Amino acid sequence: MKKKIIAISREFGSGGRSIGKMVAQRLGFRFFDKELVKEVAARTGISEAVVEEQGEYTGTRNWLSYLMSFSGGPKVRNGMRLNDFVWVMQSKIIRDLAEQEPCVIVGRGADFILRDRKDCLRVLIHASLEFREERVVRQYGEREVSAEERILDKDRRRRLFYKKYTGRDWGMAENYHITLDSGELGLETCAGIIAGLAGEG
Amino acid sequence: MKKKIIAISREFGSGGRSIGKMVAQRLGFRFFDKELVKEVAARTGISEAVVEEQGEYTGTRNWLSYLMSFSGGPKVRNGMRLNDFVWVMQSKIIRDLAEQEPCVIVGRGADFILRDRKDCLRVLIHASLEFREERVVRQYGEREVSAEERILDKDRRRRLFYKKYTGRDWGMAENYHITLDSGELGLETCAGIIAGLAGEG
């Protein structure tokens, strides 16, 4: 079946976003990344910065605060905690977008949210820590915290987020139709393979 | 860097062996699957059936016997248990083969054994349980035990084997340059992508 939606999950610094953009350009698909954050922010009245953070990371930085996130904290909207409210709205908006037109969606749990759509190709982009460190510094510049620490922190929080909202372990091949090591294979090659798969029957 | 060795790990019933054969044919590489078992058997004097079993599965069927496998059981060769001896010899033979000529190696922990070779492409082929059930019955016929049970048993034992000898969790995308869902993408497509990657710079 032809794939008209490409859901790309990626490790921070792996170049998954750039790959997604290339795929969208090649196929003439719409590209959702920051645009999705804007959409969720517009529809909920929550600031983009908060949606950006809450829609992929739990505030939790370790298992204790992770466990507490199921019970603690104030309920902000519709009797839900902020995290949960953003997830519910984001899920709804992603499902709406998938109905509308062919698109590439980067991150935001789209692989899980669209898991039942036969026309959705699920992709994971990952890379070695060394490759990602070099890329993060080049893309986002040096910060006070080292690239390695920033990456490991994002990895940890994304893993917890994914576990909390999907019940799945992050990084398992079985959750994707294809996973690619962008550091080893190169961004262009990854984009070519994904675009090729989407075009096939 | 051009890849002259393709190490293909696969879930039982996913068609990884067929894909490996296709890749070897397309690239004109040697294909090692049963041939590797024969080689290990010839060099150790252990029967092919035992090598076949011990070289990818621990005898352990659960975590208790898994833990016991580190301490219990008779030492049969060079002060080693049979499992460990087969692993050591198999590792040595796989490293030797990789030195000799371009080849495709299916299973036997080759992805881990050759992890430091820059010219080795590491691949995992997986598929849904439904796809594998259908394929196992078609390939190997009906047995007293259902296809589902046979698959789940092999999955479990392969996971334990992989953990024991590599220290890694089976099925993690990060251990491979590429993972492919053969049920979703089709065997021919998977073979084409792998052969394409091996030929690239």
Side-chain angles (χ1 to χ4, degrees):
Chain A
M1 182 181 209
K2 266 209 190 323
K3 305 295 185 187
K4 70 183 206 55
I5 303 149
I6 326 266
I8 301 184
S9 301
R10 78 289 179 227
E11 288 184 339
F12 178 61
S14 68
R17 189 173 173 274
S18 305
I19 291 170
K21 216 167 192 172
M22 285 188 248
V23 171
Q25 271 166 0
R26 285 194 199 201
L27 296 171
F29 283 17
R30 246 188 107 173
F31 178 65
F32 288 109
D33 174 41
K34 301 286 173 200
E35 295 76 1
L36 185 60
V37 173
K38 282 194 185 117
E39 186 79 20
V40 175
R43 288 218 225 165
T44 58
I46 296 171
S47 81
E48 286 180 29
V50 172
V51 171
E52 168 99 53
E53 181 69 15
Q54 301 288 332
E56 283 205 292
Y57 306 101
T58 50
T60 55
R61 287 171 186 269
N62 56 47
W63 282 98
L64 180 62
S65 59
Y66 170 73
L67 290 172
M68 284 173 61
S69 79
F70 286 94
S71 59
K75 293 178 178 167
V76 292
R77 295 284 180 101
N78 303 0
M80 282 186 273
R81 281 166 212 94
L82 185 60
N83 262 343
D84 300 338
F85 180 65
V86 170
W87 172 255
V88 168
M89 290 304 293
Q90 181 168 289
S91 301
K92 186 180 159 4
I93 290 166
I94 285 174
R95 278 192 292 265
D96 286 354
L97 292 173
E99 279 299 321
Q100 287 168 22
E101 59 186 315
C103 58
V104 175
I105 304 177
V106 174
R108 332 299 302 171
D111 61 296
F112 176 79
I113 294 163
L114 301 175
R115 66 194 178 283
D116 293 330
R117 285 194 77 115
K118 289 277 176 213
D119 58 356
C120 175
L121 183 73
R122 296 193 301 274
V123 181
L124 173 69
I125 306 294
H126 63 94
S128 70
L129 188 57
E130 297 70 38
F131 178 82
R132 296 194 286 151
E133 272 175 29
E134 201 269 323
R135 216 168 164 280
V136 162
V137 170
R138 195 150 34 84
Q139 294 266 314
Y140 307 103
E142 297 277 4
R143 303 257 172 95
E144 207 175 319
V145 180
S146 75
E148 182 180 343
E149 280 178 81
R150 281 147 70 196
I151 290 170
L152 294 179
D153 178 60
K154 289 228 179 206
D155 281 359
R156 191 164 48 238
R157 287 159 59 214
R158 199 169 281 176
R159 200 157 52 231
L160 290 171
F161 175 88
Y162 198 72
K163 186 74 184 175
K164 174 167 179 175
Y165 289 109
T166 73
R168 297 175 171 183
D169 292 322
W170 174 260
M172 293 296 293
E174 65 183 8
N175 295 335
Y176 306 93
H177 297 135
I178 180 167
T179 77
L180 296 159
D181 180 336
S182 55
E184 179 68 27
L185 305 177
L187 274 59
E188 285 280 351
T189 300
C190 293
I193 291 173
I194 298 165
L197 283 175
E200 284 175 10
Chain B
M1 183 180 209
K2 267 209 190 322
K3 305 295 186 187
K4 69 182 206 56
I5 304 148
I6 325 264
I8 301 184
S9 300
R10 77 291 179 223
E11 287 184 340
F12 179 62
S14 68
R17 189 173 172 276
S18 305
I19 291 170
K21 217 169 192 169
M22 285 189 248
V23 171
Q25 269 164 3
R26 285 195 199 200
L27 296 171
F29 283 16
R30 247 188 105 174
F31 178 66
F32 287 109
D33 174 40
K34 302 284 173 203
E35 293 76 1
L36 185 61
V37 173
K38 281 194 185 119
E39 185 77 20
V40 176
R43 289 217 223 164
T44 58
I46 297 171
S47 81
E48 286 180 30
V50 171
V51 171
E52 169 99 53
E53 181 70 14
Q54 302 289 332
E56 282 205 293
Y57 306 101
T58 50
T60 55
R61 287 171 186 269
N62 56 47
W63 282 98
L64 180 61
S65 60
Y66 170 73
L67 290 172
M68 284 172 62
S69 78
F70 286 94
S71 58
K75 294 180 178 168
V76 292
R77 294 283 181 103
N78 303 0
M80 281 185 274
R81 281 166 209 94
L82 184 59
N83 263 342
D84 300 337
F85 181 64
V86 170
W87 172 255
V88 167
M89 290 304 293
Q90 182 167 289
S91 300
K92 187 182 159 5
I93 290 166
I94 284 174
R95 278 192 293 265
D96 286 354
L97 292 174
E99 279 298 321
Q100 286 168 24
E101 59 185 318
C103 58
V104 175
I105 305 176
V106 174
R108 330 299 303 170
D111 61 297
F112 177 79
I113 293 163
L114 302 175
R115 66 195 177 284
D116 292 330
R117 284 193 77 115
K118 289 279 177 210
D119 58 356
C120 174
L121 183 74
R122 297 192 300 273
V123 181
L124 173 69
I125 305 294
H126 63 95
S128 69
L129 188 58
E130 297 71 40
F131 177 82
R132 296 194 285 151
E133 272 176 31
E134 201 269 324
R135 215 168 164 280
V136 162
V137 170
R138 194 151 34 85
Q139 294 266 314
Y140 308 104
E142 297 277 3
R143 304 257 172 95
E144 205 174 321
V145 180
S146 75
E148 182 180 344
E149 280 178 81
R150 282 147 69 195
I151 290 171
L152 294 179
D153 178 60
K154 288 229 180 206
D155 281 358
R156 193 164 45 240
R157 287 160 57 215
R158 200 170 279 179
R159 203 157 49 231
L160 290 171
F161 175 87
Y162 199 72
K163 186 74 184 174
K164 175 167 178 175
Y165 288 109
T166 74
R168 295 174 172 183
D169 293 323
W170 174 260
M172 293 296 293
E174 64 183 10
N175 295 334
Y176 305 94
H177 297 134
I178 181 167
T179 77
L180 295 158
D181 180 336
S182 56
E184 180 68 28
L185 305 177
L187 273 58
E188 285 280 353
T189 300
C190 293
I193 291 174
I194 298 165
L197 282 176
E200 283 177 9

